[in-house]
Amino acid sequence: MSDLLILWLPLAVGALTVLALLVDALSPPPASGRAVGWLVVAGLTATLGATFFVDVAGPAAHGAYEASAWTLALQRLFLAAGVIAALGGVDHVAARAPKRAGEYWLLLLASITGMTLLAGARDLILLVVAFELMGIPLYVLAAFAKTDGDRAGVRDRRPSEAALKLYLVGATSTAVTLFGLALLTGMTCATRLDALTATPLQPLATLGALLMLAGFGYKVGVVPFHMWVPDTYQGAWTPFVAFLSVAPKAAGVAALTQVFVLGLGAQHDRWLPALMMLAFLSMAVGNLLALPQTDARRLLAYSGVAQMGYALLGVAAIGEQGAAMTLFFLTSYVFTNMGAFLVVHAVAEGGGGHDLDGLRGLAGRAPGLAAALLCFILSLAGIPFAVGFWAKLYVFLAAWQAGLGGLVIAGVALAALGIFYYLQVLRAAYMTDARGLAAPVVGAPLKLAIGLCLAAVLGFGLWPGPLVEGTARAAHALLTAAAR
Amino acid sequence: MTLAGCLTLAAALFSLGVYGLLTRRQAVAVLVSVELMANAANLCFVAFSRFRGDVTGQALAVFALALTVAEVAVGLALVILLYRAHGDTRVDLASEMKQ
């Protein structure tokens, strides 16, 4: 098959970016923002639909990119996240930044292009370039809230802080990743992931691999590289944070799986202790620091740090089962966490602000939103029968079977601790009095976005079977590709 | 100059960048420090390429340059944003959200 055909999906998203640029350039500003937003929704939905009809598999560009079940599963996840992010943000972006709305959507599409490319990257060069294509637009998007205070006549300083923190951490991690990449590729004389499997790691190459692990760790936001997470989540637009908190993280963990499980799986004695430490610290610090939070966004930020710790457990399990369960966990996390952030956004826009206190009396004011929040929070906490329960169960099982018993016990204990702060959110929504807060008015696109997340959380929660089979197939496709 | 010499130089450059990143307070100086770290990586790429007779490293260096340039362009824009918000470009000004 020709390379172009195999690369169709990243190319389609790239073409959509160009189309959005044209529409934005040719239509007058106030109308163009919403138009481009809807174009993004339609284009990404069409691409997502097309993935069910276009059946391609195989390597392209001399094996740097590979279309397989693994690639496709991740790409569908990113496209779905993009659709939901676009639906959840279309009103907000058009209202808050009518003149810059087109740019917002272009940057979002560029980031999604990077993600779809990253999913198929089987060469370290492409992987790093795709990672940056995903990451650089996010720095700009984080700063979009800069004009929020203008109407009130005050300059809001928090967006600059949010973006700068994300940027400094991101740029540093890029430099660290590049240095690690230089040592790793230099010492092993290989950039293809399947060529790395056969190479013994000398000390310098090991150092390179560990530096790459640290660089990816920064982006995924695992402890001790998590400092930017709560501040960026608090300072940027919440519909954007809903996207930032899931899609790039899922892409980062997928990249970790590709590099370390596929590429360096055979030499796991060199890097596994470091990865296990990152996983443990994330679970511990994330869960403990989430306890005292009063801002819903900061609480979800620390909860997200802990969730990434669980995801790393699946990577640490090394092997098909681990990779499959990581993918299952990421799918669950994307829909659950996005949904939770979108509900927080809907409530905040309704006048309640982002504090947990702003959720007060939500069950009485907006029963639908409260019920959705209940499902998302229960899923994050890992209560049956939301998808988050299966996700946690499966990664813990995979790690247990890989002989990581101690880590699993620590993870279960910390997850149980985490239930406390998740219940605090629910307590605010269900057990308190509204005291002067009115029912939030939620626009139709945002409602649809929350509904889609809810459908995924409940659907995969009640019928996890097809998703389990799909992720198992995907992991099989990823890890047998090297042998082929 | 040997490969070991080049790598030592690169490691020194990288460490210098890390030191600057941790101690400098001016945003532009922090960006320069990050650039030092990235360029240490480029030096490694080119050194390995030269001594191993493998052109991949040179290609990688070009990619890495393009990536860091794109990143610095965004970084300088954010420094301007920081200046507009605070009237100064010290990075420690941007720490209002700590709890």
Side-chain angles (χ1 to χ4, degrees), chain B residues 21-91:
Chain B
L21 183 72
L22 295 176
T23 55
R24 289 310 186 102
R25 294 275 66 96
Q26 284 295 330
V28 176
V30 173
L31 286 193
V32 171
S33 306
V34 174
E35 276 302 285
L36 271 186
M37 292 165 68
N39 279 315
N42 284 338
L43 192 60
C44 275
F45 283 132
V46 176
F48 275 118
S49 172
R50 169 80 174 75
F51 288 98
R52 296 274 161 93
D54 178 8
V55 288
T56 319
Q58 296 184 27
L60 262 167
V62 176
F63 276 111
L65 278 176
L67 289 181
T68 42
V69 164
E71 218 163 41
V72 164
V74 174
L76 288 175
L78 289 177
V79 172
I80 293 174
L81 186 61
L82 181 75
Y83 182 79
R84 284 188 184 158
H86 293 274
D88 199 349
T89 58
R90 281 186 294 129
V91 279

Side-chain angles (χ1 to χ4, degrees), chain A residues 148-166:
Chain A
D148 271 11
D150 285 6
R151 265 175 299 179
V154 289
R155 183 160 271 281
D156 194 355
R157 291 166 164 184
R158 287 178 314 174
S160 69
E161 179 179 345
L164 196 71
K165 279 187 172 157
L166 177 64

Side-chain angles (χ1 to χ4, degrees), chain A residues 132 157 161 167 174 186 293, chain B residues 52 71 75 85 96-97 99:
Chain A
E132 288 309 300
R157 291 166 164 184
E161 179 179 345
Y167 172 79
T174 305
Q293 300 302 328
Chain B
R52 296 274 161 93
E71 218 163 41
E96 292 177 350
M97 283 190 281
Q99 286 195 337

Side-chain angles (χ1 to χ4, degrees), chain A residues 394-465:
Chain A
Y394 289 147
V395 287
F396 284 150
L397 266 182
W400 183 271
Q401 282 168 2
L404 306 173
L407 206 53
V408 172
I409 290 168
V412 172
L414 288 163
L417 179 72
I419 293 177
F420 281 107
Y421 61 81
Y422 290 125
L423 286 184
Q424 278 195 340
V425 179
L426 294 183
R427 200 181 67 84
Y430 276 88
M431 315 282 280
T432 51
D433 189 58
R435 290 201 313 277
L437 282 182
V441 182
V442 186
L446 184 55
K447 257 187 201 152
L448 183 58
I450 295 175
L452 287 174
C453 291
L454 193 61
V457 167
L458 292 179
F460 289 139
L462 294 173
W463 295 281

Side-chain angles (χ1 to χ4, degrees), chain A residues 75-466:
Chain A
Q75 285 169 338
R76 280 180 184 154
L77 186 60
F78 300 143
L79 290 174
V83 171
I84 295 171
L87 281 173
V90 67
D91 282 341
H92 189 77
V93 176
R96 292 295 178 90
K99 287 184 187 153
R100 291 178 290 134
E103 296 161 30
Y104 180 92
W105 300 116
L106 289 178
L107 290 164
L108 192 76
L109 282 175
S111 185
I112 295 173
T113 311
M115 288 173 199
T116 53
L117 206 53
L118 183 71
R122 300 290 179 272
D123 187 295
L124 286 170
I125 307 179
L126 180 63
L127 193 105
V128 170
V129 172
F131 219 110
E132 288 309 300
L133 180 55
M134 164 183 99
I136 293 174
L138 297 177
Y139 309 143
V140 189
L141 286 169
F144 255 72
K146 64 177 183 175
T147 49
D148 271 11
D150 285 6
R151 265 175 299 179
V154 289
R155 183 160 271 281
D156 194 355
R157 291 166 164 184
R158 287 178 314 174
S160 69
E161 179 179 345
L164 196 71
K165 279 187 172 157
L166 177 64
Y167 172 79
L168 285 180
V169 168
T172 311
S173 79
T174 305
V176 171
T177 309
L178 283 175
F179 196 66
L181 180 73
L183 291 178
L184 184 66
T185 57
M187 292 307 289
T188 56
C189 286
T191 60
R192 288 270 301 277
L193 290 175
D194 50 2
L196 279 177
T197 46
T199 339
L201 285 189
Q202 280 148 344
L204 260 186
T206 307
L207 178 66
L210 291 179
L211 284 173
M212 286 192 77
L213 181 63
F216 287 144
Y218 263 115
K219 303 249 160 141
V220 177
V222 292
V223 179
F225 313 119
H226 66 290
M227 308 77 74
W228 61 274
V229 178
D231 294 337
T232 303
Y233 286 13
Q234 193 185 347
W237 276 343
T238 316
F240 164 66
V241 170
F243 179 77
L244 176 73
S245 71
V246 293
K249 302 228 171 163
V253 174
L256 273 176
T257 310
Q258 281 157 221
V259 174
F260 286 92
V261 178
L262 169 64
L264 298 166
Q267 300 95 326
H268 61 83
D269 52 323
R270 302 296 175 84
W271 52 265
L272 189 58
L275 185 75
M276 283 167 62
M277 197 190 69
L278 291 184
F280 173 72
L281 284 177
S282 302
M283 293 189 296
V285 175
N287 278 317
L288 288 174
L289 288 184
L291 282 172
Q293 300 302 328
T294 54
D295 186 308
R297 292 167 298 179
R298 292 183 82 89
L299 188 146
L300 283 173
Y302 283 112
S303 122
V305 169
Q307 300 278 344
M308 281 303 106
Y310 307 134
L312 289 193
L313 272 186
V315 181
I318 306 169
E320 241 177 83
Q321 173 111 21
M325 293 312 126
T326 310
L327 188 54
F328 187 97
F329 187 91
L330 293 177
T331 311
S332 144
Y333 175 72
V334 163
F335 293 111
T336 310
N337 215 46
M338 248 186 147
F341 263 113
L342 290 176
V343 172
V344 168
H345 172 62
V347 173
E349 287 299 293
H354 293 92
D355 276 350
L356 283 185
D357 187 47
L359 290 169
R360 62 178 187 261
L362 191 66
R365 287 188 285 148
L369 272 185
L373 185 68
L374 177 73
C375 291
F376 297 136
I377 293 294
L378 290 183
S379 178
L380 280 174
I383 309 282
F385 287 84
V387 66
F389 166 70
W390 302 112
K392 271 209 186 80
L393 180 71
Y394 289 147
V395 287
F396 284 150
L397 266 182
W400 183 271
Q401 282 168 2
L404 306 173
L407 206 53
V408 172
I409 290 168
V412 172
L414 288 163
L417 179 72
I419 293 177
F420 281 107
Y421 61 81
Y422 290 125
L423 286 184
Q424 278 195 340
V425 179
L426 294 183
R427 200 181 67 84
Y430 276 88
M431 315 282 280
T432 51
D433 189 58
R435 290 201 313 277
L437 282 182
V441 182
V442 186
L446 184 55
K447 257 187 201 152
L448 183 58
I450 295 175
L452 287 174
C453 291
L454 193 61
V457 167
L458 292 179
F460 289 139
L462 294 173
W463 295 281

